[in-house]
Amino acid sequence: MNAYYTDEVHGKHEYYDLGGFPLRSGYTLPEAGIAYKTHGTLNAAKDNAVLFPHMYSGTSASMEIFIGEGRPLDPSKYFIILPGQFGGGFSSSPSNTPAPYDRGQFPPLAIADDVIAQHRLVTEHFGISTLHAVLGWSMGAQQTYEWAVRFPEMVPRGAVFAGNGRTPVHNQVFIDLHTELLTSDPEFKDGFYSDSADLRLALKRHAVAFSLMGFSAAFYRDELWRSLGFVSSNDFRQGFLRGYFAPMDPNNLLAQASKWRAGDISDHTGGDVAAALGRITAQFFVASFSEDLFFPPEDHDADCAHIPNGHRRPIETPMGHFGMFCLREEDQAAVDAVIAEMLDA
Amino acid sequence: MNAYYTDEVHGKHEYYDLGGFPLRSGYTLPEAGIAYKTHGTLNAAKDNAVLFPHMYSGTSASMEIFIGEGRPLDPSKYFIILPGQFGGGFSSSPSNTPAPYDRGQFPPLAIADDVIAQHRLVTEHFGISTLHAVLGWSMGAQQTYEWAVRFPEMVPRGAVFAGNGRTPVHNQVFIDLHTELLTSDPEFKDGFYSDSADLRLALKRHAVAFSLMGFSAAFYRDELWRSLGFVSSNDFRQGFLRGYFAPMDPNNLLAQASKWRAGDISDHTGGDVAAALGRITAQFFVASFSEDLFFPPEDHDADCAHIPNGHRRPIETPMGHFGMFCLREEDQAAVDAVIAEMLDA
């Protein structure tokens, strides 16, 4: 058990038992479970729930920076559900599943698996028939797309930040690189290591890849790491990115990344992305970050053009994909504005 | 001896003996040599020489695609010298230097080492006192900058394509990633492998990094690999990029990349890039490729602003950094136009 994926680090989680859970890949995950956190109270009409899945490498707690009294995601108004994704370390993951589905033999996942598990949590456990909204960033955006296409009647409002209906090919090349970096550590042993703390080399290499692609040329050119309290770019890379990824489990990261890479809403429509996006009935807000090297603004333009009630909301920031971390006040204001507009749509 | 770095593959090279060559790093490379190719004839006045150093992973032969009768670089008019850079496999390199300076113990290099060696070739061997022009792409651009700042009286005209006076920090992060990929192969053995053909894993991983950063999101989005005769992006990545890098020597690539990473014209001026660029007296043309993830257009704007006779020539292409490969006719026309304008300036 990796000490990082615990309530001590990420706050108290709840768990919903999914039983034997059939995955899109054809495997059945025995005794599967979905972890989640909630904020606020489900009202009697059960119509104030907002679902906010998290991004790659994150946990339910990662999304809590967007929640607060007086903020758009106000827990005095909404019942905010923060589901943990499969592979995220709290829901069923390589790091917490018993043999013979553990570690290097955890079955392949799909974005749809997460959404189907979340749907069961929302409907079976909470008895909710319509969500007020679904939103997410990056892999959370991929899950939001999957929700809006798979269960359009349940999603009257949605917002995606820096994510696409189908993962761009250039982005897939990054995932391939990322996979090389995590698996190249001699301690990786096809995923059958006993302690993720031994995977220092894998996690160090992986952090270099995110130093490159997670931020932008402008971020380094303008020395924006200074605003985070670092004294050099190396200091930032070591203190922020290596520090962030160091306690994580490489098998978990790989399980998430393979879903990210394969994300494709057109699985619903025989490969026709436009047709899949055309199924979205929600008032749907499509936000991107300029300089995003993972999910460039151009790909958001293309997605939004096919969504009947799509509203394009590009956000200008030199922070690249990690604009969503809201390390700049302007970024938080811009993100909150899109969330507020969407919640009231 | 790696069979790739031979005249059979790259055409006939000449060699100029540099003797014991003092490197900027404080080492002396014994029996150093600079390889080169030439096209055309040096005229009696010795004033028609154009120096065209090559990019990372290239050889003198790589620049021959820009030379031809009727092209701006016309060998019936100019004496075109194509020097091989240290570490390039023909000039002194990890792959061709005897112990104790071979392979993993080849000394650290600097862009200035190349330029000083080229200067000796040009002055001592050819007896040239002023070049007609110097130009280069990427690491060739870095060498062009070094020429224009170190020997301004010898460089009346210059052109850089996709390269900067100081390597951008984001670009340095890429080199770090690239280094992790090349050195992570268990066969690497700190560079003391006996046959570079055993470094398949290193070269495969390295090719993934160039698949990501050498081209652009737009290149993959618009499936521009189709114009190169490939039937899928994977086909392109395997056939083009893995194929291109597969025969190379990882120690040679690392030796080049460390120069690339450290490229900084402000070594001449105590860290003041503007002051260094201000020393350039040449009519100097600064070309960039849009979507270039290594050397973005913005960094060229900044460089050009400090060059007294700087002429900014941005080139629009979805090919990213590899726009210089001129895989599209429009790119060749745009590159040739800048070369022609510079040669006549």
Side-chain angles (χ1 to χ4, degrees):
Chain A
M1 192 64 187
N2 181 321
Y4 178 72
Y5 304 107
T6 59
D7 289 357
E8 285 65 40
V9 178
H10 294 275
K12 180 75 185 145
H13 283 69
E14 307 293 329
Y15 293 86
Y16 181 64
D17 182 5
L18 297 163
F21 187 84
L23 297 168
R24 294 328 91 188
S25 57
Y27 294 83
T28 297
L29 203 54
E31 301 175 50
I34 181 169
Y36 61 96
K37 301 181 83 169
T38 66
H39 289 264
T41 307
L42 184 62
N43 63 14
K46 296 195 174 187
D47 64 2
N48 70 333
V50 174
L51 188 77
F52 197 177
H54 64 79
M55 77 296 189
Y56 171 83
S57 82
T59 72
S60 300
S62 309
M63 299 296 102
E64 290 177 330
I65 64 167
F66 299 97
I67 298 171
E69 304 257 341
R71 300 279 299 277
L73 284 173
D74 189 329
S76 70
K77 188 168 175 188
Y78 296 111
F79 178 58
I80 304 155
I81 307 169
L82 306 174
Q85 63 163 298
F86 288 131
F90 285 87
S91 295
S92 293
S93 299
S95 67
N96 65 12
T97 298
Y101 295 92
D102 61 321
R103 303 182 290 168
Q105 53 195 345
F106 192 82
L109 296 170
I111 297 288
D113 294 321
D114 285 309
V115 170
I116 290 166
Q118 292 162 19
H119 180 261
R120 286 187 52 193
L121 171 70
V122 165
T123 56
E124 294 174 8
H125 181 64
F126 289 116
I128 294 167
S129 56
T130 303
L131 291 159
H132 183 78
V134 182
L135 76 161
W137 166 44
S138 199
M139 285 193 75
Q142 294 182 301
Q143 293 168 67
T144 300
Y145 268 118
E146 182 69 26
W147 262 101
V149 172
R150 181 177 287 269
F151 303 115
E153 71 287 356
M154 287 188 68
V155 186
R157 296 165 204 85
V160 290
F161 292 87
N164 296 116
R166 174 152 70 187
T167 300
V169 175
H170 188 247
N171 186 316
Q172 293 179 318
V173 179
F174 171 77
I175 298 296
D176 293 346
L177 181 63
H178 155 285
T179 303
E180 296 282 359
L181 291 161
L182 282 175
T183 60
S184 63
D185 188 332
E187 297 296 322
F188 182 68
K189 300 171 182 169
D190 276 345
F192 294 102
Y193 50 82
S194 53
D195 185 347
S196 64
D198 294 334
L199 279 285
R200 291 171 204 90
L201 200 51
L203 291 160
K204 178 196 123 185
R205 288 172 179 159
H206 172 266
V208 179
F210 277 83
S211 302
L212 182 71
M213 293 289 286
F215 291 83
S216 70
F219 174 83
Y220 289 103
R221 181 186 303 122
D222 298 337
E223 302 190 348
L224 294 175
W225 37 261
R226 288 195 188 280
S227 65
L228 310 177
F230 295 99
V231 299
S232 71
S233 60
N234 285 335
D235 192 37
F236 160 75
R237 292 167 59 188
Q238 177 98 359
F240 190 88
L241 280 155
R242 285 181 66 172
Y244 173 68
F245 288 115
M248 299 187 191
D249 184 304
N251 282 327
N252 286 359
L253 294 173
L254 288 163
Q256 293 171 69
S258 68
K259 282 189 283 184
W260 166 358
R261 190 188 193 288
D264 187 353
I265 206 65
S266 78
D267 291 343
H268 290 278
T269 50
D272 186 338
V273 172
L277 294 170
R279 292 187 182 181
I280 298 176
T281 55
Q283 294 294 328
F284 203 83
F285 291 76
V286 179
S288 58
F289 299 115
S290 52
E291 315 281 340
D292 188 336
L293 295 175
F294 289 137
F295 296 99
E298 291 86 343
D299 293 301
H300 296 72
D301 294 339
D303 280 347
C304 195
H306 298 298
I307 300 170
N309 296 302
H311 309 285
R312 185 76 178 92
R313 295 293 180 269
I315 295 174
E316 292 294 318
T317 170
M319 302 299 282
H321 189 66
F322 283 174
M324 195 73 172
F325 274 2
C326 293
L327 300 172
R328 296 161 74 242
E329 278 183 27
E330 307 92 296
D331 296 343
Q332 178 167 316
V335 168
D336 269 5
V338 174
I339 295 175
E341 189 182 3
M342 181 274 291
L343 290 172
D344 291 339
Chain B
M1 192 66 188
N2 182 320
Y4 178 72
Y5 303 107
T6 59
D7 288 357
E8 285 65 41
V9 178
H10 294 275
K12 179 74 185 145
H13 283 69
E14 307 293 329
Y15 293 86
Y16 180 64
D17 183 5
L18 297 164
F21 187 83
L23 297 169
R24 294 327 90 189
S25 57
Y27 294 84
T28 297
L29 202 54
E31 299 178 48
I34 180 169
Y36 62 96
K37 301 180 83 171
T38 65
H39 289 264
T41 307
L42 184 61
N43 63 14
K46 297 194 172 187
D47 65 2
N48 71 331
V50 174
L51 188 77
F52 197 176
H54 65 79
M55 77 294 189
Y56 172 82
S57 83
T59 71
S60 300
S62 308
M63 299 297 102
E64 290 177 330
I65 64 167
F66 298 98
I67 298 172
E69 304 257 341
R71 300 278 299 279
L73 284 173
D74 190 329
S76 70
K77 190 169 175 188
Y78 296 111
F79 178 58
I80 304 156
I81 307 168
L82 307 175
Q85 63 163 297
F86 288 131
F90 285 87
S91 297
S92 293
S93 299
S95 67
N96 65 12
T97 298
Y101 295 92
D102 62 320
R103 303 183 290 168
Q105 52 197 346
F106 192 81
L109 296 170
I111 297 287
D113 295 322
D114 286 310
V115 170
I116 290 166
Q118 292 163 17
H119 180 262
R120 286 187 52 191
L121 172 69
V122 164
T123 57
E124 295 173 8
H125 182 64
F126 289 117
I128 294 167
S129 55
T130 304
L131 292 159
H132 183 79
V134 182
L135 75 163
W137 165 45
S138 199
M139 286 194 74
Q142 295 183 300
Q143 293 169 67
T144 300
Y145 269 118
E146 182 67 27
W147 261 101
V149 173
R150 182 176 286 270
F151 303 115
E153 71 289 355
M154 286 187 69
V155 186
R157 296 166 203 85
V160 290
F161 293 86
N164 296 117
R166 176 153 67 188
T167 300
V169 174
H170 187 247
N171 186 317
Q172 294 180 319
V173 179
F174 171 77
I175 298 295
D176 292 347
L177 181 63
H178 156 284
T179 303
E180 296 282 359
L181 292 161
L182 282 175
T183 60
S184 63
D185 187 333
E187 297 296 323
F188 182 68
K189 300 171 181 169
D190 276 343
F192 295 102
Y193 50 84
S194 53
D195 185 348
S196 64
D198 295 334
L199 279 285
R200 292 172 204 89
L201 201 52
L203 291 160
K204 177 194 125 186
R205 288 173 178 158
H206 172 266
V208 179
F210 277 83
S211 303
L212 181 71
M213 294 289 286
F215 291 84
S216 70
F219 174 83
Y220 289 103
R221 182 186 301 124
D222 298 338
E223 302 190 348
L224 294 176
W225 37 260
R226 288 196 189 278
S227 66
L228 311 178
F230 296 98
V231 300
S232 70
S233 60
N234 285 334
D235 192 35
F236 160 76
R237 291 167 58 188
Q238 177 98 358
F240 190 88
L241 280 155
R242 286 182 66 173
Y244 173 68
F245 288 115
M248 299 185 191
D249 184 304
N251 282 327
N252 285 358
L253 294 173
L254 289 162
Q256 293 171 70
S258 69
K259 282 189 284 184
W260 166 358
R261 191 189 194 288
D264 187 352
I265 205 66
S266 79
D267 290 343
H268 290 279
T269 49
D272 186 337
V273 173
L277 295 170
R279 291 188 182 182
I280 298 176
T281 54
Q283 293 293 329
F284 204 83
F285 292 75
V286 178
S288 58
F289 299 114
S290 52
E291 315 281 342
D292 188 337
L293 296 174
F294 289 136
F295 297 98
E298 292 85 344
D299 292 301
H300 295 72
D301 295 339
D303 280 347
C304 195
H306 298 299
I307 301 171
N309 296 301
H311 309 285
R312 186 78 175 91
R313 295 292 180 271
I315 295 173
E316 292 294 318
T317 171
M319 301 299 281
H321 189 67
F322 283 175
M324 195 70 172
F325 273 3
C326 293
L327 300 171
R328 296 161 75 241
E329 278 183 26
E330 307 93 297
D331 295 343
Q332 177 167 317
V335 168
D336 270 3
V338 175
I339 295 176
E341 189 182 2
M342 181 274 290
L343 290 172
D344 291 338

